[in-house]
Amino acid sequence: MPGHTDNEITVAAPVDLVWKMTNDLPNWPRLFSEYASIEILAEEGDTTRFRLAMHPDENGVVWSWVSERTVNRDELQVKARRVETGPFEYMNIHWEYAEVPGGTKMRWRQDFAMKPGAPLDDAGMTDRINHNSRIQLELIRDKIEAHV
């Protein structure tokens, strides 16, 4: 069975600010603690192709891949996918934003499958993504709320 995660957080900030800060790709290394760098490769309309690199892992390995994001500001949604899939057969990410009492709800859903021989199977990667998503969502919430 493929992997699936669904994580969300409410940010005590207007949706416009949450949208702007989380979709400012060049700022991602300052917004997310896991990303060391980002390189914008191409932009066409509402779609951006970019390379992300993480900070070295416990073994000194720097994981890097190319992703593509398409933003839909009117619907407050972003659809993304890994172009260079690495250990994944596929990885699709859906971001949703919603105005709620007290701020903005931001939701990340990820659907993926791991390749045979990957360092983790689907269940292991699901656990890792769920754990890390909570950390990143809380960090992003705190950074955005500091701007309010």
Side-chain angles (χ1 to χ4, degrees):
M1 177 178 234
H4 173 78
T5 64
D6 191 339
N7 292 279
E8 65 182 49
I9 198 162
T10 298
V11 182
V15 71
D16 288 338
L17 180 62
V18 177
W19 178 270
K20 180 182 175 189
M21 289 185 70
T22 59
N23 288 290
D24 178 5
L25 298 182
N27 194 51
W28 273 17
R30 289 177 291 283
L31 190 62
F32 290 82
S33 64
E34 61 190 344
Y35 300 141
S37 67
I38 186 168
E39 176 188 2
I40 305 299
L41 303 173
E43 294 180 282
E44 185 175 325
D46 292 330
T47 300
T48 304
R49 186 174 283 215
F50 56 97
R51 175 172 294 284
L52 275 175
M54 297 183 79
H55 294 286
D57 68 13
E58 60 277 359
N59 299 314
V61 176
V62 174
W63 296 92
S64 174
W65 64 92
V66 173
S67 287
E68 196 170 78
R69 286 171 58 85
T70 302
V71 299
N72 185 325
R73 179 64 178 90
D74 292 340
E75 293 185 15
L76 295 174
Q77 296 186 37
V78 177
K79 295 198 176 182
R81 67 181 183 93
R82 280 195 182 200
V83 176
E84 290 179 2
T85 57
F88 295 92
E89 286 185 28
Y90 63 90
M91 164 63 86
N92 297 313
I93 306 170
H94 187 196
W95 296 43
E96 297 174 5
Y97 303 78
E99 291 185 78
V100 296
T104 302
K105 180 173 73 170
M106 185 170 59
R107 180 179 181 195
W108 296 346
R109 287 183 292 145
Q110 299 180 30
D111 292 296
F112 59 90
M114 302 306 294
K115 290 179 180 173
L120 295 171
D121 62 10
D122 292 340
M125 185 55 77
T126 298
D127 290 343
R128 178 173 282 187
I129 290 172
N130 276 326
H131 173 78
N132 192 53
S133 290
R134 286 189 279 280
I135 292 169
Q136 295 304 314
L137 283 165
E138 290 173 5
L139 179 66
I140 291 167
R141 176 200 61 207
D142 294 348
K143 288 181 179 181
I144 294 172
E145 288 178 354
H147 277 79
V148 177

